[in-house]
Amino acid sequence: AVNRIIPIACDGLATLIDKADFTAIEEYLKPIIEDINKESIKTIVLGCTHYVLVKQIFYQLKNDIQIYD
């Protein structure tokens, strides 16, 4: 198996986190997680200091992922 780095832009996610709109955050992340599932991605590197604040939402949507922040 070949390891690849796939950048995924999350424009606007930090703003939703600032607003603490967790319902909107989950809805925002659902299609991103669906794409991650299609690619069989097993590891995510969170590239923004805001994202660690919603790491649990990533785990709720995909519990078999390894996350680095």
Side-chain angles (χ1 to χ4, degrees):
V2 175
N3 292 325
R4 300 179 295 146
I5 296 174
I6 303 170
I8 300 171
C10 292
D11 297 331
L13 181 55
T15 301
L16 292 175
I17 294 169
D18 283 339
K19 293 178 182 178
D21 188 344
F22 297 105
T23 301
I25 292 166
E26 187 171 335
E27 291 303 313
Y28 181 97
L29 289 175
K30 279 181 182 178
I32 293 170
I33 297 296
E34 288 174 12
D35 289 343
I36 287 171
N37 286 333
K38 289 176 192 170
E39 293 288 335
S40 299
I41 294 171
K42 298 294 180 196
T43 303
I44 296 175
V45 176
L46 303 178
C48 174
T49 56
H50 283 72
Y51 298 170
V52 70
L53 301 172
V54 294
K55 185 162 53 169
Q56 285 307 113
I57 295 176
F58 280 96
Y59 281 127
Q60 287 172 1
L61 297 173
K62 183 165 179 62
N63 61 6
D64 64 341
I65 196 100
Q66 186 172 21
I67 298 177
Y68 293 96
D69 52 32

